[in-house]
Amino acid sequence: MALDGCGLVCKYILIVFNIIFAVVGFAFLGLGLWLRFSENTRAIFSIEDLNSSAFVIGVTVLIALGSIMLIVVVFGDYGACNEKRCALQVFSALLFFLAVAEIVVGVLAYSKRDMVGLRLGEFYTSLYGLYVASGDPAMTVTLAFIHNSLHCCGLTGVSVIEAVKQTCPAPNGIMEHFAMPSCPVTIASIFDSRASLVMGIFVGTGALLITALVCAIILLNQLKKVHQAVTSYYSAVY
């Protein structure tokens, strides 16, 4: 007895989901490990007074989240491709906890948006300081991406004294040739003004995880029926 149409659809949905999840997980883990072990940032983690800084916390979260996502992918991909019920059960449990965590984090980020915006501003300040101290090309690309995405320029925004002006976007208007928005202030204000959108992204991601969870449960039920049918067949024959 093979899987029916619904079971097959859920199987392929889970395979595609795991591929996307793996790409994002590798990106988070790779970025986190690079920031953790790069020659220009490694020393930060050996300074005890900086263990609670926004940069250290952010890097730790990236590594932990990327690792968890890849663990979920291993169980999900193995369970879906090989139709293994035990792996799918572990995958379902991990998805459930991740979905709950996503929704809780989204609600907390919305309710404490002032503090979260401040922390993100501190994280940017850490990147800025690392770039000024080392001139790392990777930091140049990172800052250029942030500056162009948010249309801001460094800590001050004043082009005459700004150390990262080569990574800043083109000015809009005459006044921005002299002073552009400061990035820490812009980050905090954007997060505060778009906190509901951020919460929606977290809750929406949680909903996607729940959808994958439903597919995993449907596939589990289908595999259980197949197993029962095969067992009944061999019991009747032998």
Side-chain angles (χ1 to χ4, degrees):
M1 180 180 176
L3 294 171
D4 64 17
C6 187
L8 280 174
V9 169
C10 283
K11 176 179 177 177
Y12 291 122
I13 287 175
L14 288 179
I15 291 173
V16 172
F17 170 84
N18 282 309
I19 291 172
I20 297 172
F21 221 55
V23 172
V24 177
F26 273 119
F28 283 169
L29 182 60
L31 178 60
L33 290 175
W34 171 69
L35 290 173
R36 173 63 180 84
F37 296 106
S38 171
E39 292 184 3
N40 298 317
T41 59
R42 190 184 308 162
I44 294 176
F45 295 86
S46 62
I47 302 174
E48 187 174 348
D49 292 340
L50 296 178
N51 283 341
S52 60
S53 70
F55 181 80
V56 173
I57 293 172
V59 171
T60 304
V61 168
L62 281 174
I63 295 173
L65 184 57
S67 302
I68 291 171
M69 291 175 74
L70 292 178
I71 292 171
V72 171
V73 167
V74 169
F75 283 103
D77 208 32
Y78 177 71
C81 291
N82 297 285
E83 299 180 1
K84 299 294 185 181
R85 292 170 59 198
C86 184
L88 283 173
Q89 287 169 348
V90 176
F91 175 69
S92 300
L94 292 173
L95 273 186
F96 173 76
F97 288 117
L98 274 179
V100 172
E102 283 279 350
I103 295 171
V104 170
V105 169
V107 173
L108 289 176
Y110 178 79
S111 61
K112 299 185 177 182
R113 52 188 177 273
D114 293 337
M115 185 181 71
V116 175
L118 181 62
R119 289 293 183 183
L120 290 174
E122 290 177 3
F123 184 77
Y124 168 83
T125 303
S126 300
L127 293 177
Y128 179 96
L130 290 170
Y131 170 79
V132 172
S134 66
D136 191 332
M139 288 291 180
T140 304
V141 174
T142 304
L143 286 180
F145 174 77
I146 295 172
H147 292 160
N148 284 278
S149 299
L150 302 179
H151 194 74
C152 60
C153 184
L155 295 181
T156 64
V158 180
S159 59
V160 177
I161 62 173
E162 192 51 67
V164 296
K165 59 184 178 181
Q166 64 270 26
T167 66
C168 295
N172 289 335
I174 297 175
M175 294 303 298
E176 286 196 355
H177 282 85
F178 302 99
M180 296 185 71
S182 165
C183 284
V185 175
T186 301
I187 291 170
S189 62
I190 287 178
F191 192 88
D192 184 55
S193 63
R194 300 182 183 177
S196 56
L197 175 62
V198 173
M199 184 179 70
I201 291 172
F202 276 102
V203 173
T205 304
L208 288 175
L209 294 176
I210 291 173
T211 302
L213 175 60
V214 171
C215 280
I217 292 172
I218 292 173
L219 185 56
L220 273 171
N221 290 332
Q222 289 285 318
L223 292 175
K224 183 178 180 181
K225 290 178 182 178
V226 170
H227 178 74
Q228 289 173 343
V230 171
T231 303
S232 300
Y233 172 77
Y234 282 107
S235 299
V237 172
Y238 299 104

